[in-house]
Amino acid sequence: MSLLSPKKPEIPTDTIAALSTARGHGAIAVVRMSGARSFPILTALTGKPPGPQGRLLLRDFQNIDRGMAVVFYGPRSYTGEDMVELHCHGSPVITEELLSRLESLGARRAGPGEFTYRAVLNRKMALLDAERINARINAGSRQTLTLLDTSPGSLDLLTDLLDMAYNALADVESHIEFEEGEIPSFSALVARLAWLRGQASLTQRNASLPAVLLYGPPNCGKSTLFNAIIGYERALVSDTPGTTRDYLEAEFYFDGVGFRLMDSAGVRSGGDALEEQGVDRTKTLHGEASVVIDFSGDTTDDPRVVPVQGKADLSGAPAQGILGVSGVTRVGVHELLAEVAKRVRLFQQGDGWDLWISRTTKDIFDELHTLLGAASTAELPEISAHYLVRFCEKLRQDIDQPSIDLYDRIFSRFCIGK
Ligand SMILES: Nc1nc2c(ncn2[C@@H]2O[C@H](COP(=O)(O)OP(=O)(O)OP(=O)(O)O)[C@@H](O)[C@H]2O)c(=O)[nH]1
Ligand SMILES: [Mg+2]
């Protein structure tokens, strides 16, 4: 089986550069360069040639900054090409200047995912597994990271499925030839594909951070709690009911689980037109949220809802099944977050999330599902065989000769610098 096929894109010969750390201000930033001219460009930038393999060199980046240059000699690098990492101070002015200088010395600015794209072309990783790199960067929980490490590669999953499909085809063809017994049902193949698609759906569900909504009447302390949880004064707080109108959101991590915490307009009727629009948004968010922290005082069977009583420092003990919390004294906040993390895990894991499956592999499974549906509902074994042959051909092609379209689909979802 070969990933290098004549239909594959050509290996590029130019040298690319990009900022690989997040944009904005930070202690350090890393600008990466990959390609045949990486070392000559580094020499031109710093006035000195790169040192021996793996050496870290302190360099003057031509009046722009002083920093560290890390050199990787191909093929022992991420992309398989000669690579340089320039570690500089994390200022957008510095990194932009540095990139412009690299451009003027002959590098080209990299597009999304271009470093990983080169790694695939240089056989550093299989195309269908390149998405794991992106998933690792975007992982919202420890569970995702663990599954990224333990799940078999997409090529192995597809190859196993192809074996099962060949067996199913052999059964149908021998039935056609000898016309004995019932038409084979290839139920094992159907069950396996259904399970894989279920795992792929769970993976997708976990691909974005789940939304946790603060919900309840005006003035109950939602925005105060929002600020207390995220650790800074993001939301306006006042004793005037109806303060929050637009909803706000901020990412938050607790006990290895990430979520998007959302503050919303307090729900009541009779406010002005703007407030009513805010309340409508809150109601929509309530329908979509993975977990709702509900200050309304009601209890419910909805597993997404965690009932709380706000301003626990002022009020007496809450009723059975309701958690007392205060954004001012932080009473109950830790317990609340533990409960939210528990609900988020339930939502994320569903019934047994055991395998991380990439989005492109999910798309392949969906196409295979259509073919298998046609094969399993066909009334004549010849028609079943026809669709099973197409099923096998499609799998064979995705394993051996991924199309250029597949490359585009995968790398367009990457960030620049990866
Ligand atoms: N003592 C006490 N006061 C609180 C607590 N939480 C909020 N407050 C006060 O209650 C008032 C309303 O708080 P907010 O956090 O703005 O309430 P809200 O639910 O966001 O209100 P709306 O945005 O109008 O829906 C403010 O004066 C807060 O200082 C709390 O836990 N204890
Ligand atoms: Mg508010």
Side-chain angles (χ1 to χ4, degrees):
M1 176 195 326
S2 158
L3 265 177
L4 274 183
S5 77
K7 286 191 184 162
K8 201 159 185 196
E10 302 272 306
I11 296 188
T13 54
D14 54 355
T15 296
I16 50 173
L19 173 66
S20 284
T21 39
R23 280 172 198 286
H25 299 269
I28 56 163
V30 177
V31 170
R32 286 208 295 190
M33 196 164 39
S34 177
R37 286 192 42 76
S38 296
F39 295 163
I41 292 174
L42 176 67
T43 308
L45 179 78
T46 62
K48 291 185 198 131
Q53 184 134 2
R55 268 285 289 279
L56 312 179
L57 307 153
L58 275 176
R59 296 278 167 165
D60 241 325
F61 302 143
Q62 276 186 10
N63 304 327
I64 300 171
D65 195 16
R66 265 181 71 77
M68 191 168 74
V70 185
V71 292
F72 301 87
Y73 285 74
R76 292 174 60 191
S77 70
Y78 179 71
T79 58
E81 303 174 329
D82 285 349
M83 281 187 81
V84 173
E85 283 181 5
L86 302 171
H87 296 224
C88 57
H89 292 99
S91 141
V93 179
I94 293 175
T95 52
E96 195 41 48
E97 280 254 328
L98 210 45
L99 277 167
S100 302
R101 196 68 57 87
L102 298 180
E103 248 184 319
S104 69
L105 293 171
R108 170 174 67 73
R109 289 193 190 230
E114 244 190 303
F115 290 91
T116 307
Y117 174 77
R118 290 186 177 202
V120 171
L121 294 187
N122 288 316
R123 295 167 176 256
K124 285 283 174 172
M125 71 183 78
L127 174 64
L128 289 173
D129 289 325
E131 283 168 290
R132 267 173 206 249
I133 305 281
N134 225 14
R136 187 169 285 280
I137 295 171
N138 295 317
S141 69
R142 212 184 288 141
Q143 163 94 355
T144 307
L145 289 176
T146 306
L147 286 183
L148 277 165
D149 285 335
T150 54
S151 300
S154 296
L155 283 184
D156 290 341
L157 293 176
L158 296 181
T159 306
D160 286 351
L161 202 61
L162 183 60
D163 275 350
M164 291 183 83
Y166 279 146
N167 287 338
L169 182 59
D171 287 348
V172 174
E173 283 181 340
S174 87
H175 175 85
I176 294 170
E177 194 151 330
F178 303 110
E179 287 194 5
E180 277 171 359
E182 298 267 297
I183 302 177
S185 70
F186 41 90
S187 54
L189 178 61
V190 172
R192 174 72 180 165
L193 185 59
W195 184 77
L196 287 169
R197 291 181 75 227
Q199 293 295 310
S201 297
L202 286 171
T203 306
Q204 288 312 305
R205 204 201 276 185
N206 287 297
S208 56
L209 294 185
V212 175
L213 176 69
L214 291 159
Y215 176 86
N219 224 24
C220 62
K222 299 181 296 301
S223 299
T224 306
L225 185 61
F226 180 79
N227 291 340
I229 292 176
I230 66 173
Y232 60 96
E233 299 300 305
R234 170 82 171 80
L236 286 177
V237 165
S238 99
D239 56 8
T240 311
T243 302
T244 307
R245 296 186 167 203
D246 272 346
Y247 66 89
L248 300 170
E249 64 176 84
E251 275 184 25
F252 184 74
Y253 291 81
F254 179 81
D255 194 22
V257 181
F259 46 85
R260 279 185 299 133
L261 186 65
M262 310 184 91
D263 183 23
S264 64
V267 177
R268 66 170 172 184
S269 47
D272 61 28
L274 268 184
E275 189 178 334
E276 290 206 342
Q277 281 189 41
V279 171
D280 283 347
R281 285 187 192 181
T282 302
K283 288 181 179 163
T284 307
L285 292 174
H286 188 285
E288 296 168 351
S290 307
V291 177
V292 176
I293 298 172
D294 185 357
F295 288 74
S296 68
D298 303 333
T299 49
T300 156
D301 293 339
D302 187 340
R304 301 175 308 138
V305 175
V306 182
V308 296
Q309 177 179 308
K311 305 189 185 179
D313 53 317
L314 299 182
S315 46
Q320 178 74 17
I322 298 185
L323 190 67
V325 284
S326 164
V328 171
T329 63
R330 298 193 65 90
V331 163
V333 171
H334 190 87
E335 292 84 338
L336 172 64
L337 293 179
E339 185 59 31
V340 166
K342 201 168 103 191
R343 307 281 177 117
V344 164
R345 282 204 186 90
L346 269 181
F347 161 82
Q348 288 188 320
Q349 291 166 17
D351 282 336
W353 182 34
D354 298 323
L355 220 57
W356 182 89
I357 290 177
S358 78
R359 172 122 159 242
T360 311
T361 311
K362 177 185 187 298
D363 293 345
I364 293 173
F365 288 152
D366 288 347
E367 287 172 51
L368 290 171
H369 171 72
T370 308
L371 291 173
L372 195 57
S376 53
T377 53
E379 285 180 6
L380 294 174
E382 287 79 1
I383 299 187
S384 286
H386 163 80
Y387 282 110
L388 281 174
V389 167
R390 283 185 51 194
F391 184 99
C392 294
E393 282 171 356
K394 156 126 194 81
L395 260 172
R396 236 316 25 114
Q397 182 183 345
D398 286 332
I399 292 169
D400 279 354
Q401 301 187 338
S403 65
I404 290 188
D405 169 58
L406 206 53
Y407 276 79
D408 287 348
R409 264 198 278 163
I410 290 177
F411 290 106
S412 62
R413 296 183 196 128
F414 271 64
C415 51
I416 290 178
K418 188 63 229 176

